[in-house]
Amino acid sequence: MTAAAASGHQPHGARLVIVGAGCSQGCASAELISLAGAALEEAGLPAEAVAAIATLDLKAGEAAIGALAAHFGVPLLAFGATRLEQETPRLATPSARVFAAVGCHSVCEGAALAAAGPGGHLVLARRKSARAAIALAAAMALPQE
C-alpha cells in the first residue's frame, strides 16, 4: 500500500469508490445506470472515481448489473450472502425484508462495504428507484479482483 493510500489521501483521479448495486430480476439497465449516476452526483463524485461494482453473487448474472460495470468500465465483484451479512454492523439501512429474501441485511450497502474492505466506509447509504438500489463506499485501496 502506498503512503497516500495508508494516509487516506489519494492522488487526483484515483478510482476508490465502490458502487454497491442490487436490482429486481429484469430491471432495465438504464434504470440502474441512471440511479448510479444520480448517487454519484449526490455524493459529489465523478464517474472516474468508480473502481468497481459490487453485488450479491445471486444478482451478478442480472443484465443490468453487468451493464452497470460495463458502463463504468470497471470489474464486477460478487459476494455470497454470508460474506455480506458480516457487514451488518456497518450498514446504514439494514433490512429484515432483504434478509428474508436473500440471507443478508443489505445487498448494495453490504457489497460496497465488503469490496471497500475493513478500512472502507459508506459515502452514500442506499438510494432506491422502482427496481434498483445503489450505495457508495470509499475504499482505502483498490479492490482485489
Side-chain angles (χ1 to χ4, degrees):
M1 180 181 294
T2 67
S7 72
H9 294 92
Q10 298 303 324
H12 180 70
R15 288 181 173 255
L16 296 175
V17 174
I18 308 297
V19 177
C23 66
S24 300
Q25 186 174 14
C27 175
S29 299
E31 180 178 348
L32 190 59
I33 291 167
S34 176
L35 183 61
L40 288 165
E41 184 175 322
E42 181 180 345
L45 295 166
E48 296 77 24
V50 176
I53 306 302
T55 195
L56 177 67
D57 57 3
L58 298 175
K59 297 290 180 182
E62 286 292 327
I65 302 279
L68 184 64
H71 174 78
F72 288 106
V74 297
L76 174 59
L77 308 175
F79 298 91
T82 301
R83 174 64 187 93
L84 297 189
E85 185 59 12
Q86 293 172 354
E87 297 298 337
T88 300
R90 300 199 300 159
L91 299 177
T93 62
S95 169
R97 184 183 63 77
V98 172
F99 181 82
V102 296
C104 60
H105 281 88
S106 174
V107 171
C108 60
E109 288 181 8
L113 288 166
H121 63 278
L122 283 177
V123 173
L124 190 69
R126 181 183 69 216
R127 298 297 190 259
K128 293 174 56 175
S129 64
R131 302 190 67 188
I134 291 286
L136 306 177
M140 295 304 291
L142 292 175
Q144 300 298 311
E145 291 185 54

